[in-house]
Amino acid sequence: MSEAATTITFSNVSRFYGEVLGINKVSLAIPAGITSLVGPNGSGKTTLMNLMTGLIRPTQGEIRVLGVEPDHPEKLCRMVGYCAQFDAFPRGMTGYQFIYSFLRMYGWSNQECDQRTAASLQMAGLQDAANRPVAAYSKGMRQRVKLAQAIAHDPRVVILDEPLNGLDPLARAEAIALFRQWGDQGRHVIVSSHILHEVDRISDQVILLSQGYVVAEGQIHSVRSEVKEQPMQIEVRCDRPSMLASRLFQQDHVVEAKVSPDGKGLLLRTKDADSFYLLLNKVILDSGLEVESIAPADDDVNSVYQYLIGAEGATV
Amino acid sequence: MKSSWYRQIGAVMRLELRKAFLSKRGWWIYCLALGPVLLTLIHWLVFRSASISKDIESHRHMSHSLGEDSLVFAALFMFYYLRAGIFFGCMGIFSNLFRGEMLEKTLHYYFLTPMRREMLVAGKYLSGLVVALVLFGGSVTASFYLLGRHFGPAWTDYLFHGPGLHQLGSYALVTALASIGYGAVFLMCGLFFKNPMIPAAVVWVWENLEPFLPAVLKKISVIFYLKNLCPVEVPIPPPFNVIVVEADPSPFWIAVPGLLMVAGILLVYSAISARHTEISYGE
């Protein structure tokens, strides 16, 4: 299978709303797995999602979703499921009718639509509420029925705009597990979220957007290592943090080292993580330092977001 | 799997019909359709009670001929159904097929199904047409029947052995053509205008000015063709009769295919435009 048929590609795509910029000159290749779109309000996340699903068209540039142009809904929408941010439903429908009615538009038989509806409602944990009007659902249930509707046709690409909004912690955990499962199955799962620590937990790769531009994209570790101007933070749990700190201060690349209040850890900031790891190995060999754990302390979406975009719009 | 377009259109129609017939927001369209039925029902009940009571004086006072009732229905059809009931009913039904979804922020659900947008337009239009035909076709038929019902066997004879059934068929045909024509106009208005009331008002004024327009301009109004298909001519009362401009009526074979063709062109244009319609809920 060609690469074009397995990725979602944006080639120099711009979208303007009159004179207002939606996104500008975006070029991306999104592989399978979970991709998170991160950025403050108005950064272009929803524009990007609407472009992928053909709900809006680019002012310039070209988009291909697994090789298909988004202005062919008859092909695209068999592969793509989109849970949009709008909390609106056709009037007077039950959860079952809502999913079933739109499945019928795929041209499937009653029986097939019925089976798919039941399966998706079960996946969303709404089988008991299936025959209640959607208007009587709680916000969390409405969010779940939208998710169920978006994936009822078993799409290869699942696009979810703020899917965790309105979900209680348990439902959130269940939804995240579901996204993980879809990602592991080789689907493209594209999620936008403000909740950075959850984005961090689920994402295979991130796309950081700010004011219509892609600021960074890729796996979060690679994105973090690209941010050279911000020293890396590393936390070392060991038996003699003060001794380690004294050795580290002799190095030019170490900007800061702080012993933790419990006296069993050291938080340091270094401009050259590779040199630090080499030095640490040497210290262990020379002095018999017992190291319990070493972990990057700012190798996450939240830190990268703060470094590249700033505090505006972040919800941690 | 190949898309089976007829199943897809059927699915759109099922969904739309459920929404249209069960919608509380459409109460005023039901009123438009049921108003004349109620009036003719009262007319029948009044005359029936008068004939039962054998109040000769009041019966004589109220009596009128079957021909007069036929003329009353022609006037009701021309001045109420065509110029108000069906027009505004179609406006309410068809302009909301897309605009209503945009206002309720639900159009994206349709756009995210693997349907060609042309099929979506067709499905929505056909469902609107079914609603309009059921409401206004039913209303015209019921009103026609009830208006002459008090004549008893004479009415039955008029219906089945006289011109009654032919007249009813003509009114039903005009109702259907009006629904087809205005439906196409208002579906397009709903796709193109944020507020379809404005183009609807323009069309309504134009349609109602039709008797006073020069012959050339008359021909670009829907009502000109429909009026000529009505089985009973309604005389224009004074003083309006002096300013009415007469024009040669279009023959049946031009009026009917012409109207269908215009509706078809509008629908094709709407379908092509729908392919390029974007979801913008004004946020």
Side-chain angles (χ1 to χ4, degrees):
Chain A
M1 203 181 290
S2 72
E3 197 189 326
T6 56
T7 55
I8 299 168
T9 55
F10 283 69
S11 309
N12 200 29
V13 173
S14 299
R15 166 69 199 204
F16 292 86
Y17 300 95
E19 291 185 358
V20 179
L21 171 70
I23 56 166
N24 198 15
K25 295 181 180 169
V26 168
S27 291
L28 289 171
I30 305 174
I34 303 180
T35 303
S36 293
L37 301 181
V38 180
N41 286 338
S43 59
K45 303 187 294 289
T46 300
T47 298
L48 215 59
M49 293 182 153
N50 286 347
L51 283 166
M52 274 183 238
T53 49
L55 294 184
I56 58 172
R57 269 147 226 278
T59 311
Q60 68 169 54
E62 200 177 64
I63 303 164
R64 288 272 193 283
V65 178
L66 311 189
V68 175
E69 283 181 60
D71 51 2
H72 293 292
E74 61 277 13
K75 291 180 192 159
L76 180 86
C77 296
R78 290 202 181 274
M79 302 187 309
V80 174
Y82 183 22
C83 176
Q85 60 175 317
F86 312 109
D87 187 24
F89 299 87
R91 271 176 285 128
M93 285 192 164
T94 65
Y96 178 91
Q97 288 166 342
F98 168 57
I99 297 172
Y100 178 87
S101 301
F102 286 101
L103 274 179
R104 288 303 305 266
M105 292 178 203
Y106 286 75
W108 289 323
S109 66
N110 290 351
Q111 197 187 5
E112 181 158 12
C113 293
D114 182 60
Q115 284 168 356
R116 283 176 182 271
T117 304
S120 65
L121 281 166
Q122 190 170 14
M123 177 279 300
L126 286 171
Q127 60 272 42
D128 294 337
N131 295 315
R132 278 167 50 194
V134 176
Y137 282 7
S138 67
K139 174 133 172 67
M141 289 165 84
R142 291 201 302 273
Q143 190 68 19
R144 281 190 280 156
V145 82
K146 278 199 312 184
L147 273 174
Q149 195 267 337
I151 56 100
H153 58 290
D154 197 20
R156 288 163 63 196
V157 178
V158 186
I159 301 173
L160 310 162
D161 198 352
E162 301 284 354
L164 303 174
N165 272 4
L167 298 186
D168 58 50
L170 183 64
R172 239 174 226 215
E174 285 171 359
I176 287 171
L178 209 57
F179 304 160
R180 191 66 273 163
Q181 187 188 330
W182 294 338
D184 293 342
Q185 286 167 353
R187 296 180 206 236
H188 290 68
V189 183
I190 295 159
V191 183
S192 80
S193 181
H194 278 103
I195 306 162
L196 297 180
H197 72 271
E198 279 174 342
V199 167
D200 206 34
R201 277 173 57 203
I202 61 174
S203 309
D204 294 318
Q205 55 263 330
V206 290
I207 296 170
L208 269 84
L209 291 151
S210 179
Q211 296 178 359
Y213 290 88
V214 173
V215 180
E217 60 155 315
Q219 292 184 339
I220 196 65
H221 302 288
S222 359
V223 173
R224 174 62 189 92
S225 57
E226 291 293 313
V227 188
K228 304 275 189 210
E229 63 272 22
Q230 291 287 346
M232 292 278 287
Q233 290 185 33
I234 299 168
E235 189 180 19
V236 183
R237 302 288 295 174
C238 60
D239 58 347
R240 281 169 285 157
S242 306
M243 184 275 291
L244 179 61
S246 67
R247 292 287 299 272
L248 290 174
F249 273 128
Q250 295 163 18
Q251 308 297 315
D252 287 342
H253 58 82
V254 174
V255 178
E256 187 183 355
K258 227 172 6 183
V259 176
S260 61
D262 66 358
K264 299 234 172 110
L266 181 71
L267 183 70
L268 64 104
R269 295 174 69 216
T270 172
K271 289 178 191 164
D272 186 349
D274 291 341
S275 301
F276 162 72
Y277 289 125
L278 284 173
L279 176 72
L280 185 63
N281 285 344
K282 196 166 179 298
V283 173
I284 291 169
L285 287 172
D286 292 351
S287 64
L289 182 77
E290 280 187 26
V291 176
E292 187 186 322
S293 67
I294 310 163
D298 66 347
D299 196 3
D300 55 24
V301 175
N302 187 37
S303 306
V304 172
Y305 186 96
Q306 302 295 333
Y307 296 151
L308 292 176
I309 296 173
E312 189 195 347
T315 309
V316 184
Chain B
M1 191 191 73
K2 284 287 269 182
S3 299
S4 37
W5 60 269
Y6 52 92
R7 273 191 181 173
Q8 292 184 314
I9 290 182
V12 175
M13 287 183 69
R14 257 189 300 276
L15 179 55
E16 291 301 308
L17 289 174
R18 182 208 306 266
K19 278 160 57 183
F21 282 119
L22 301 178
S23 161
K24 286 179 192 159
R25 284 193 188 179
W27 65 270
W28 61 274
I29 301 172
Y30 285 102
C31 290
L32 284 175
L34 291 175
V37 179
L38 199 65
L39 277 179
T40 48
L41 183 68
I42 292 167
H43 171 87
W44 171 49
L45 291 174
V46 167
F47 279 90
R48 201 181 72 134
S49 63
S51 66
I52 288 170
S53 69
K54 302 199 184 331
D55 181 350
I56 295 163
E57 186 51 34
S58 68
H59 197 249
R60 190 186 60 78
H61 191 67
M62 292 189 337
S63 71
H64 55 270
S65 71
L66 214 149
E68 281 171 316
D69 265 0
S70 164
L71 196 62
V72 166
F73 187 82
L76 178 72
F77 188 80
M78 177 60 63
F79 295 112
Y80 175 75
Y81 277 110
L82 281 188
R83 293 181 193 274
I86 297 176
F87 183 92
F88 288 112
C90 285
M91 186 190 81
I93 294 165
F94 288 92
S95 64
N96 271 327
L97 290 174
F98 282 93
R99 183 55 49 189
E101 303 282 358
M102 287 187 203
L103 291 175
E104 291 177 4
K105 300 183 179 176
T106 51
L107 187 60
H108 64 281
Y109 291 118
Y110 293 86
F111 279 13
L112 290 169
T113 59
M115 277 189 91
R116 295 179 70 91
R117 300 264 173 96
E118 294 88 332
M119 295 297 126
L120 181 59
V121 169
K124 278 188 169 269
Y125 176 75
L126 288 174
S127 61
L129 199 57
V130 170
V131 175
L133 290 178
V134 167
L135 288 183
F136 292 103
S139 170
V140 166
T141 308
S143 302
F144 185 84
Y145 178 71
L146 288 170
L147 196 70
R149 180 82 180 83
H150 62 96
F151 288 108
W155 178 241
T156 313
D157 199 44
Y158 179 81
L159 268 182
F160 297 107
H161 301 107
L165 215 51
H166 173 259
Q167 285 180 3
L168 181 58
S170 299
Y171 288 125
L173 174 70
V174 174
T175 302
L177 286 172
S179 302
I180 290 169
Y182 289 133
V185 170
F186 289 122
L187 182 136
M188 194 177 76
C189 289
L191 262 171
F192 286 98
F193 296 94
K194 281 195 171 168
N195 184 358
M197 287 291 190
I198 296 164
V202 173
V203 175
W204 189 73
V205 168
W206 180 260
E207 292 289 276
N208 280 284
L209 282 177
E210 178 273 334
F212 315 109
L213 293 173
V216 178
L217 294 179
K218 277 177 190 294
K219 290 180 181 171
I220 45 175
S221 71
V222 173
I223 212 157
F224 172 74
Y225 299 98
L226 296 177
K227 196 173 69 176
N228 292 329
L229 295 172
C230 290
V232 178
E233 194 178 341
V234 184
I236 306 288
F240 300 108
N241 57 344
V242 291
I243 50 171
V244 165
V245 179
E246 294 295 336
D248 291 337
S250 295
F252 181 87
W253 61 271
I254 288 182
V256 175
L259 261 174
L260 292 177
M261 203 170 73
V262 170
I265 290 168
L266 295 179
L267 283 175
V268 168
Y269 187 59
S270 300
I272 292 168
S273 307
R275 271 203 88 82
H276 304 288
T277 301
E278 295 189 339
I279 293 295
S280 166
Y281 295 143
E283 289 196 335

